[in-house]
Amino acid sequence: MRPVDYLRPMPLTLSDVQSWLDRYIAAWRSNDAKLIGALFTDDVRYRYHPGDEPLVGRQTVVDSWLESPDEPDSWNAEYRAWSVTGDHAAATGETHYSNGSQYFNVYLLVFRDGACSEFTEWFVTPRSSTDG
């Protein structure tokens, strides 16, 4: 007998990913260990750069975020869910710091039970007027 359709896990949606990204920004701004930890699974694999060995585990990520936290009013960020396929998602956005630094971001994400289990960030800075 086939399971009843309403018992299937709900598929991940762009709205779910956007909600997670909004919570990511709020957690970053708060520098609150509980809010940061709530974003990730216990066994998350987190990369600040695609070639890095991942940080492994929720507490390791929380500790890394809080090692040298950004002051809450020193930056502004806006991230947008871009694509979802199954439990995989991609997001894009921009981060602006009050010192003039600017980054364009791409995140590749994998989710499990509403939390992120894999996180990889790509970021680039704007070209200068001499970059051609």
Side-chain angles (χ1 to χ4, degrees):
M1 181 173 183
R2 186 171 165 223
V4 178
D5 286 349
Y6 66 81
L7 295 179
R8 286 190 207 167
M10 296 294 289
L12 187 66
T13 67
L14 282 173
S15 179
D16 296 331
V17 176
Q18 188 61 56
S19 176
W20 186 89
L21 291 165
D22 294 343
R23 287 184 286 129
Y24 178 95
I25 292 171
W28 180 12
R29 189 169 307 284
S30 76
N31 292 317
D32 181 288
K34 285 186 178 189
L35 292 178
I36 297 165
L39 296 167
F40 304 104
T41 61
D42 286 337
D43 60 348
V44 64
R45 298 173 58 81
Y46 189 105
R47 289 178 176 86
Y48 287 104
H49 308 281
D52 289 353
E53 285 296 316
L55 301 175
V56 178
R58 176 186 292 137
Q59 191 58 53
T60 303
V61 172
V62 170
D63 292 346
S64 176
W65 274 38
L66 296 177
E67 189 174 291
S68 182
D70 292 320
E71 289 297 319
D73 293 331
S74 70
W75 58 274
N76 194 9
E78 183 178 329
Y79 306 130
R80 293 164 298 286
W82 190 76
S83 176
V84 174
T85 302
D87 58 0
H88 290 67
T92 62
E94 295 181 30
T95 308
H96 300 264
Y97 285 88
S98 56
N99 68 4
S101 297
Q102 180 180 1
Y103 300 92
F104 299 103
N105 310 90
V106 174
Y107 298 136
L108 296 185
L109 311 161
V110 179
F111 288 89
R112 186 173 66 241
D113 300 326
C116 186
S117 62
E118 292 185 37
F119 178 101
T120 303
E121 179 177 8
W122 274 262
F123 63 87
V124 295
T125 57
R127 292 183 185 189
S128 72
S129 60
T130 61
D131 286 344

